[in-house]
């Protein structure tokens, strides 16, 4: 979750950039750096490890002056927190600088190719690979824009990239790939701005243009020119952002829930930041206060949570048991706290909570503490009570504030965090070697991009399905194994915001009761990815169809067999089976949202519910 700011105009660029970065520091503060073009001396870089104040101090000792430049606050993903790894990064010639927010999924591949061509690297980052690649193509093209286009065409993953070339100081280029890294352009008289988020530039302008996926902007003093990466010009008028800070935070979205659904690719990326080392095949959870030995001693894990977080806990059980081979029990916190649990001295409690303030979850953590059992919190709210209570460490989601009462991005981030935790445990317990961990990490870094694809695929289908089914009075959600908690979560999303009665069930249990409810009016949502249990799911689908139920299947892209069996198919990309819930749940969130909209419900603040339940 890095922050990016760029400026071109009559002001001192360093002041604008540093001021903007201060507004974005919440996005990361492992290091910061700026590049300013000084007409007499060329590109000047200043980079410092740690908070932005370190960079500011450095700039006062070694000032830079110029009217075009860019800067970055870093939250490390690839490579440690060092000055060499701080952005901006340069190409070999030193004439091109690049900053990035995102992950280059195939950077190892690209780096190997560039190394073979004789390029030398000075950092461990994926961003330096972009800089070198742009530099490489610049030698052939002789201009930044075509060189950047060629480089971007080879990147996989979600990124926001900003580049500047000493030979073309009249322009900054910015591009967005995927939904992970936002890019906002700011327009004013004789000056232009670029940033990863609105607050960075609101002091100067409220005329903003949001760059869409696979678009590139050429930013000059006179304004911006946008085109697709394929080169087709794009006409987009600036929007004037409102003064109301809540509305400003909601941006272009109608509801926070909608915004948060769309933030998932970014949130999924942010949960990985600084925690994975793809080259070594290792997971680093520095916020865990349990070392390898402590993790090896754990014989049993109690996962405890409420609501959506409890559904994440159910998935976490599969992840931890399969990857780390530790026995896991999952409890509702409100049940756990009163059942006088027998924990044992080789146990670990894992509390999962978005707010970190849910009263029952906190009480469950207290119970563990009373029994001398350490607890780890998988938590979103920084500094919350759960984070403070977690003597085994708080594993932060870094998903950003979740405002919509119906949890979306926190849920998928919890799944990714639980996966990291399971890998970390497997690493300590040696149930997984580096090569296996590397394969899991590759799947994790591909997840944000796939989540973005899942959103894009689901939007039109869900709109149609919502139109058709929004008057339903009941709905059933079925899944098996890891897709069972997804079914529970899909049902919860629908009932909490649309007030349609919905139930989630393990598909194998359908015959023991719920099948009696099925008739031709009953939508039955079946989560059926191509995993080991798929054939069983398929026969459950047949059983629903035989009772004339309307089957809405969530399956993998290209599954013609499933498409033939279901009344409707919503397809999501495939990934490793234990990560599939992250993608399968996305259409269910969108479906619930679309249905609630059509029923005229208050999506962000459904009746009777609260975002944080701090009472029993
Ligand atoms: C409330 C919210 C849910 C949330 C649950 C647990 O019911 O409406 O969205 O899943 O509390 O909250 P937590 O903050 O502990 O994750």
């Amino acid at each position: 979750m890095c922050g990016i700011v760029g400026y071109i105009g009559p002001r001192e660029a360093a002041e604008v950039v540093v001021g903007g970065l201060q507004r974005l520091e919440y996005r990361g503060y492992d290091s910061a750096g700026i590049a300013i073009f000084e007409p007499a001396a060329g590109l000047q870089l200043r980079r410092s490890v740690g908070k932005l104040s370190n960079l500011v101090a450095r700039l006062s000792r070694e000032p830079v002056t110029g009217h075009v430049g860019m800067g970055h606050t870093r939250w490390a993903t690839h490579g440690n927190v060092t000055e060499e790894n701080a952005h901006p990064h340069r190409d070999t010639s030193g004439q091109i600088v690049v900053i990035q927010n995102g992950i280059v999924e195939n950077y190892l591949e690209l780096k190997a190719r560039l190394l073979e061509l004789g390029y030398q690297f000075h950092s461990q980052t994926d961003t330096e690979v972009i800089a070198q690649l742009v530099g490489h193509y610049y030698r052939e093209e002789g201009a930044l824009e075509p060189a950047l286009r060629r480089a971007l065409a080879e990147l996989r993953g979600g990124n926001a990239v900003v580049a500047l070339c000493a030979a073309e100081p009249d322009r900054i280029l910015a591009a967005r790939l995927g939904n992970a890294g936002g890019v906002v352009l700011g327009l004013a008289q004789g000056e232009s701005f670029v940033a990863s988020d609105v607050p960075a530039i609101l002091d100067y302008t409220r005329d903003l243009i949001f760059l869409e996926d696979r678009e590139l902007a050429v930013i000059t003093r006179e304004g911006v020119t946008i085109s697709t990466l394929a080169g087709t010009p794009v006409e987009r008028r600036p929007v004037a952002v409102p003064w109301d800070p809540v509305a400003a935070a909601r941006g272009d979205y109608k509801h926070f829930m909608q915004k948060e659904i769309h933030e998932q690719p970014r949130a999924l990326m942010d949960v990985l930041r600084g925690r994975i080392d793809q080259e070594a095949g290792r997971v680093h959870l520095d916020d865990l206060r349990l070392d390898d030995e402590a993790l090896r001693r754990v014989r049993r894990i109690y996962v405890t949570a409420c609501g959506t977080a409890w559904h994440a806990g159910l998935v976490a059980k599969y992840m931890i048991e399969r990857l780390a081979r530790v026995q896991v029990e999952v409890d509702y916190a409100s049940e756990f706290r009163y059942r006088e649990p027998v924990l044992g001295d080789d146990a670990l409690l894992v509390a999962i909570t978005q707010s970190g303030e849910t009263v029952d979850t906190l009480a469950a953590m207290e119970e563990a503490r009373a029994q001398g059992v350490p607890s780890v919190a998988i938590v979103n709210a920084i500094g919350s009570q759960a984070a403070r209570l977690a003597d085994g460490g708080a594993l932060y989601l870094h998903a950003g504030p979740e405002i919509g009462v119906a949890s979306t991005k926190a849920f998928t981030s919890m799944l990714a965090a639980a996966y990291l935790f399971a890998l970390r445990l497997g690493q300590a317990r040696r149930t997984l070697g580096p090569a296996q961990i590397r394969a899991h990490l590759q799947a994790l870094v591909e997840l944000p991009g796939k989540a973005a694809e899942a959103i894009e695929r689901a939007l039109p289908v869900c709109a149609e399905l919502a139109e058709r089914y929004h008057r339903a009075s009941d709905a059933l959600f079925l899944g098996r194994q890891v897709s069972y908690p997804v079914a529970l979560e899909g049902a919860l999303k629908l009932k909490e915001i649309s007030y349609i009665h919905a139930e989630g069930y393990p598909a194998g249990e359908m015959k023991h009761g719920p099948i009696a409810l099925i008739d031709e009016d009953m939508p039955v949502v079946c989560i059926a990815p191509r995993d080991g249990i798929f054939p069983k799911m398929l026969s459950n689908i047949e059983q629903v169809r035989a009772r004339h139920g309307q089957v809405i299947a969530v399956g993998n892209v290209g599954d013609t067999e499933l498409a033939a069996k279901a009344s409707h198919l919503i397809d999501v990309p495939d990934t490793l089976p234990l990560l599939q819930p992250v993608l399968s749940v996305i259409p269910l969130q969108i479906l619930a949202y679309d249905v609630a909209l059509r029923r005229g419900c208050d999506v962000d603040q459904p009746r009777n519910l609260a975002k944080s339940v701090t009472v029993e």
Side-chain angles (χ1 to χ4, degrees):
M1 189 158 82
C2 306
I4 288 177
V5 183
Y7 174 75
I8 183 163
R11 300 174 202 261
E12 270 301 337
E15 277 172 30
V16 178
V17 169
V18 171
L21 290 178
Q22 269 156 357
R23 300 284 171 85
L24 298 181
E25 212 183 1
Y26 70 92
R27 299 169 73 95
Y29 32 76
D30 289 334
S31 62
I34 67 171
I36 302 291
F37 177 75
E38 285 195 349
L43 282 170
Q44 297 297 305
L45 263 65
R46 301 287 184 273
R47 304 186 295 184
S48 298
V49 168
K51 295 207 173 204
L52 194 58
S53 50
N54 297 350
L55 178 68
V56 173
R58 176 140 193 201
L59 283 168
S60 66
R61 291 193 306 271
E62 303 164 49
V64 282
T65 174
H67 302 288
V68 51
M70 62 195 197
H72 186 270
T73 56
R74 175 167 186 250
W75 190 3
T77 48
H78 294 85
N80 306 334
V81 179
T82 60
E83 191 172 322
E84 298 76 58
N85 285 339
H87 299 217
H89 288 282
R90 271 173 292 203
D91 76 326
T92 297
S93 73
Q95 298 302 297
I96 292 170
V97 282
V98 169
I99 52 184
Q100 188 221 178
N101 176 16
I103 293 180
V104 181
E105 289 172 9
N106 55 338
Y107 88 103
L108 287 178
E109 221 172 273
L110 296 171
K111 187 170 177 176
R113 219 177 75 206
L114 289 161
L115 283 168
E116 224 164 82
L117 290 169
Y119 289 95
Q120 285 179 5
F121 285 80
H122 307 284
S123 78
Q124 287 86 49
T125 64
D126 51 348
T127 306
E128 192 186 1
V129 172
I130 308 179
Q132 298 280 21
L133 198 59
V134 176
H136 174 69
Y137 288 129
Y138 186 86
R139 285 160 72 176
E140 288 171 25
E141 299 285 346
L144 184 60
E145 189 181 330
L148 180 62
R149 283 183 192 281
R150 284 180 67 182
L152 292 172
E154 293 186 32
L155 304 187
R156 277 210 334 258
N159 329 81
V161 177
V162 179
L164 175 61
C165 175
E168 304 171 25
D170 62 336
R171 63 194 52 208
I172 300 172
L173 302 192
R176 175 174 161 186
L177 291 175
N179 288 330
V183 178
V184 57
L185 308 166
L187 306 179
Q189 194 60 37
E191 56 185 349
S192 304
F193 306 79
V194 55
S196 41
D197 203 358
V198 176
I201 53 178
L202 269 190
D203 280 351
Y204 305 101
T205 177
R206 281 165 192 275
D207 289 333
L208 306 179
I209 295 180
F210 294 89
L211 216 54
E212 298 286 339
D213 183 15
R214 306 198 73 76
E215 288 180 351
L216 181 142
V218 179
I219 303 155
T220 66
R221 283 177 179 74
E222 290 73 41
V224 300
T225 319
I226 303 175
S227 54
T228 64
L229 287 192
T232 314
V234 174
E235 278 298 322
R236 184 161 312 128
R237 297 182 58 77
V239 289
V241 298
W243 289 91
D244 168 11
V246 176
R250 207 170 51 225
D252 276 352
Y253 295 101
K254 271 204 201 103
H255 297 98
F256 279 105
M257 181 183 179
Q258 185 191 27
K259 175 174 185 247
E260 288 154 7
I261 287 172
H262 285 266
E263 280 174 347
Q264 289 180 108
R266 183 199 46 73
L268 286 169
M269 197 177 283
D270 289 340
V271 74
L272 302 182
R273 289 199 187 278
R275 292 171 167 162
I276 61 173
D277 183 338
Q278 275 182 276
E279 284 183 73
R282 289 190 68 78
V283 174
H284 304 284
L285 298 182
D286 295 341
D287 18 21
L288 267 193
R289 289 198 211 112
L290 303 170
D291 58 12
D292 277 6
E293 202 173 313
L295 292 173
R296 277 198 287 270
R297 272 201 305 271
V298 174
R299 291 274 171 276
R300 191 182 312 175
I301 292 179
Y302 295 87
V303 175
T304 182
C306 302
T308 287
W310 181 74
H311 297 156
L314 292 178
V315 182
K317 174 183 166 79
Y318 289 91
M319 293 171 173
I320 296 169
E321 290 193 340
R322 297 234 180 112
L323 298 174
R325 309 305 299 162
V326 183
Q327 188 190 336
V328 181
E329 279 187 32
V330 189
D331 262 301
Y332 282 118
S334 53
E335 289 296 311
F336 180 90
R337 63 181 292 192
Y338 291 117
R339 77 168 162 89
E340 297 179 23
V342 184
L343 302 182
D345 53 11
D346 49 6
L348 174 71
L349 185 99
V350 176
I352 307 183
T353 167
Q354 188 286 127
S355 64
E357 304 293 346
T358 304
V359 66
D360 288 319
T361 307
L362 297 177
M365 295 177 80
E366 301 274 16
E367 174 66 35
R369 171 177 287 195
Q371 294 198 32
V373 167
S375 54
V376 167
I378 295 181
V379 55
N380 194 34
I382 313 266
S384 57
Q385 183 64 10
R388 294 197 299 271
L389 267 177
D391 44 6
L395 188 51
Y396 283 120
L397 302 180
H398 296 300
E402 190 179 67
I403 312 286
V405 165
S407 182
T408 51
K409 65 175 178 176
F411 177 68
T412 44
S413 298
M414 284 166 183
L415 299 184
Y419 205 79
L420 284 174
F421 178 73
L423 291 176
R424 177 68 188 86
L425 206 55
Q427 179 176 299
R429 302 168 65 82
R430 304 198 186 94
T431 53
L432 299 170
Q436 287 161 304
I437 293 181
R438 206 172 290 128
H440 288 288
L441 294 182
Q442 186 60 32
L444 274 171
V445 302
E446 287 172 10
L447 210 51
K450 291 185 176 181
E453 188 188 334
I455 293 171
E456 289 311 312
R457 286 180 177 275
L459 286 172
V461 195
C462 290
E464 223 180 287
L465 290 171
E467 191 52 45
R468 190 167 172 148
Y469 291 110
H470 71 277
R471 289 189 194 86
S473 53
D474 307 272
L476 195 58
F477 288 70
L478 302 175
R480 283 170 175 265
Q481 301 285 297
V482 279
S483 298
Y484 160 52
V486 176
L488 292 176
E489 177 61 7
L492 177 63
K493 286 289 87 85
L494 187 67
K495 81 178 114 189
E496 66 183 344
I497 60 169
S498 77
Y499 316 140
I500 293 177
H501 167 241
E503 281 190 58
Y505 250 88
E509 278 291 300
M510 176 182 70
K511 288 193 283 298
H512 303 285
I515 200 165
L517 299 172
I518 296 174
D519 61 18
E520 59 279 4
D521 298 323
M522 171 82 131
V524 183
V525 181
C526 297
I527 327 301
R530 280 268 167 182
D531 53 16
I533 203 81
F534 178 76
K536 306 279 176 208
M537 223 22 240
L538 217 48
S539 44
N540 293 137
I541 288 172
E542 306 248 29
Q543 291 155 3
V544 176
R545 294 288 286 172
R547 274 92 193 158
H548 308 292
Q550 301 293 319
V551 172
I552 300 173
V554 176
N556 288 133
V557 174
D559 195 330
T560 45
E561 194 181 1
L562 185 60
K565 294 251 156 63
S567 328
H568 314 275
L569 176 68
I570 317 179
D571 52 5
V572 294
D574 66 354
T575 176
L576 294 180
L578 291 170
L579 284 172
Q580 194 67 53
V582 174
L583 303 177
S584 303
V585 78
I586 287 174
L588 307 186
Q589 300 166 340
I590 296 173
L591 184 63
Y593 175 79
D594 283 351
V595 167
L597 269 194
R598 278 167 183 74
R599 290 168 69 97
C601 299
D602 185 345
V603 172
D604 280 337
Q605 292 176 328
R607 68 184 180 210
N608 307 339
L609 293 174
K611 185 70 188 158
S612 300
V613 179
T614 53
V615 290
E616 279 192 68

